């Protein structure tokens, strides 16, 4: 690799998203460098999740450009005319960015190792034995080696979410996105998932994390972004944002969530 | 005194009646396999992004559900030859039953497919699966587990509906009994044996469907012991 001047892993320019008359993302510009851990915080309905879903093309933004690892993703614009990429090309880009969902979304008809092996075998066409070996490695990494042959419904929420992280990692993604990965968990299960995420950050994974866990953002993030009403209001070093937010809206939000 | 049930007649004609039952089961199995495949295509086409295709499918389903199966059988066997399409009995019966059952089964498939949460589609897409791959590997395996008992009930219905094929002179079990009875007038005996034969197949089948219903209600572990 010739990375004298490495392009950011994820680059977003002027992203606009509407749901009917609702303007959910109002011109988002964001770039995430390789190895960076960016936490996005903000009130519900501020567009955080929609932003992640647009980056993965689970929602289709009406305006703006997304680059993943330097490549223009999902559609080209030639002279003001947009041309959507083929489904296959969209799938290939998505395969490079792992996504972890609030409700885990494990495949209930497959065992845990089956969940982890599914995409490497059927999307990347890796040999089963290799996918299995790598899958077990990842399950060990998230502390679930002994649950490999169980079905998702037999696991606790925290275990399911760790399995979902292993499933995403099995694709060897260039970046990982977490969409409120701990919001659906009982309080006592949140820590085990955050520990796995922290470990992943320590290993140098590029991460984009939408979260309500302010301590995680404070301790793990290399940058914190505060979003409100579809815009990035403020961003910067976590210490600075939490200790001394510049914007009134950030201050109000932090006061509300930290008082709990 | 007339004996109602003549055991001698029953034994005498058991062979031909059993042959008729075998044909009934064969017809059921052939239509089952064909309609399982065709109904899936119909269901997928009915969810296509092409409006015209959705309308074609909708029209097909409504016509099949809005007219009697008996008429469809007669139509294919007696009316199509007038425009030069002449089908042998078994083929005509198979075609009519398959077209009819596929219309109903496609709706069952559609219900099963739509019961799979968007989260499953999102997760598959986020892993780089194309729509087709996600349908094949993630959505359908779950949907089929959901609709298995419903499919079972339709097939028990199909097994009994094959009796209608006597009108296109397929010698299934009921038609066989009609032919024999027309000669010896032993209606009570023959139709009782035929009734017993239908029941002997459909009752265990219904129990099997009941069992499927119970296990599909349980977790995934119980389905893979």
């Amino acid at each position: 690799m010739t990375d004298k001047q490495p392009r950011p892993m994820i680059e977003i320019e002027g992203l606009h998203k509407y749901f009917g008359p609702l303007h959910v993302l109002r011109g988002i510009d964001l770039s995430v460098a390789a190895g960076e851990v960016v936490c996005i915080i903000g009130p519900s309905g501020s567009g955080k999740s929609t932003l992640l879903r647009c980056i993965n093309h689970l929602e289709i933004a009406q305006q703006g450009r997304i680059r993943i690892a330097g490549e223009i993703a999902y559609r080209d614009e030639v002279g003001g005319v947009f041309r959507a990429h083929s489904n296959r090309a969209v799938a290939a880009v998505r395969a490079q960015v792992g996504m972890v969902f609030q409700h885990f979304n494990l495949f209930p008809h497959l065992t845990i190792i089956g969940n982890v092996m599914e995409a490497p075998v059927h999307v990347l066409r890796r040999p089963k034995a290799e996918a299995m070996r790598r899958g077990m490695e990842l399950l060990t990494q998230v502390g679930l080696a002994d649950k490999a042959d169980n079905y998702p419904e037999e696991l606790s929420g925290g275990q399911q979410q760790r399995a979902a992280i292993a499933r995403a990692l099995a694709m060897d993604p260039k970046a990982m996105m977490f969409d409120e990965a701990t919001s659906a968990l009982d309080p006592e299960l949140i820590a085990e998932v955050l520990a796995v995420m922290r470990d992943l950050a320590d290993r140098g994974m590029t991460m984009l994390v939408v979260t309500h866990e302010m301590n995680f953002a404070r301790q793990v993030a290399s940058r914190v972004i505060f979003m409100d009403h579809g815009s990035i209001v403020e961003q910067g070093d976590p210490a600075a944002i939490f200790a001394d937010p510049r914007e009134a809206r950030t201050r109000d939000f932090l006061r509300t969530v930290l008082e709990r | 005194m007339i004996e109602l049930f003549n055991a001698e007649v029953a034994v005498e004609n058991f062979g031909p009646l059993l042959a008729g039952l075998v044909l009934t089961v064969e017809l059921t199995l052939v239509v089952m396999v064909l309609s399982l495949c065709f109904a899936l295509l119909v269901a997928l086409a009915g969810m296509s992004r092409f409006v015209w295709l959705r309308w074609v499918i909708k029209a097909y389903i409504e016509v099949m559900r809005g007219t009697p199966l008996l008429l469809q059988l007669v139509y294919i066997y007696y009316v199509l030859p007038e425009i030069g399409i002449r089908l042998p009995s078994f083929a005509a019966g198979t075609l009519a039953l398959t077209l009819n059952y596929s219309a109903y089964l496609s709706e069952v498939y559609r219900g099963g497919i739509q019961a799979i949460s968007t989260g499953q589609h999102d997760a598959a897409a986020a892993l780089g699966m194309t729509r087709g791959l996600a349908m094949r590997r993630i959505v359908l395996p779950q949907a089929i587990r959901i609709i298995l008992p419903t499919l079972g009930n339709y097939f028990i219905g199909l097994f009994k509906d094959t009796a209608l094929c006597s009108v296109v002179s397929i010698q299934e079990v009921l038609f066989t009994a009609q032919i024999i009875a027309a000669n010896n007038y032993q209606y009570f005996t023959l139709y009782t044996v035929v009734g017993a034969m239908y029941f002997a197949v459909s009752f265990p089948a219904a129990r099997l469907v009941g069992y499927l219903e119970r296990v599909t209600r349980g977790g995934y572990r119980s389905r893979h012991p």
Side-chain angles (χ1 to χ4, degrees), chain A residues 53 105-106 109 118 153-154, chain B residues 119-120 122 137 219-221:
Chain A
R53 292 175 62 82
N105 299 350
L106 289 175
H109 60 301
E118 181 64 21
E153 65 187 2
E154 299 170 309
Chain B
Q120 294 287 305
D122 284 352
R137 296 285 315 170
Y220 275 91
R221 169 57 85 195

Side-chain angles (χ1 to χ4, degrees), chain A residues 107-111 118 122 151, chain B residues 40 44 109 112-116 120-121 124 129 131-149 151 216 220 223-224:
Chain A
F107 305 131
H109 60 301
L110 301 175
T111 58
E118 181 64 21
H122 293 280
Y151 283 86
Chain B
L40 177 58
L44 294 175
Y109 270 118
I113 289 169
Q114 286 175 346
I116 306 305
Q120 294 287 305
H121 292 270
M129 293 192 189
R131 265 179 52 131
L133 183 63
M135 183 59 75
R136 191 160 58 78
R137 296 285 315 170
I138 306 302
V139 177
L140 280 180
Q142 295 182 56
I144 285 170
R145 280 179 177 87
I146 297 173
I147 66 177
L148 213 54
L151 290 179
T216 48
Y220 275 91
R223 270 163 261 172
H224 306 266

Side-chain angles (χ1 to χ4, degrees), chain B residues 13-130:
Chain B
N13 293 296
F14 195 75
L17 288 176
L18 195 62
L21 182 68
V22 169
L23 190 62
T24 294
V25 170
E26 271 173 19
L27 187 60
T28 306
L29 291 178
V30 169
V31 173
M32 213 168 115
V33 171
L34 289 178
S35 60
L36 269 180
C37 303
F38 188 57
L40 177 58
L41 294 180
V42 172
L44 294 175
M47 291 184 283
S48 154
R49 61 202 142 119
F50 301 113
V51 184
W52 64 268
L53 187 53
R54 290 205 303 270
W55 276 104
V56 169
I57 295 299
K58 219 177 168 55
Y60 156 71
I61 291 173
E62 291 311 325
V63 168
M64 285 295 147
R65 293 202 299 193
T67 54
L69 173 55
L70 187 57
L71 176 69
Q72 293 163 13
L73 272 161
V74 168
Y75 204 89
I76 286 176
Y77 192 62
Y78 293 103
V79 178
L80 288 192
E82 290 182 17
I83 57 164
I85 303 170
R86 202 172 299 278
L87 293 174
S89 313
F90 193 84
T94 304
L95 181 63
L97 285 170
T98 301
L99 287 177
N100 182 277
Y101 269 81
S102 294
Y104 288 94
L105 294 186
S106 73
E107 293 287 280
V108 176
Y109 270 118
R110 193 171 59 93
I113 289 169
Q114 286 175 346
I116 306 305
S117 73
T118 52
Q120 294 287 305
H121 292 270
D122 284 352
L127 287 166
M129 293 192 189
T130 54

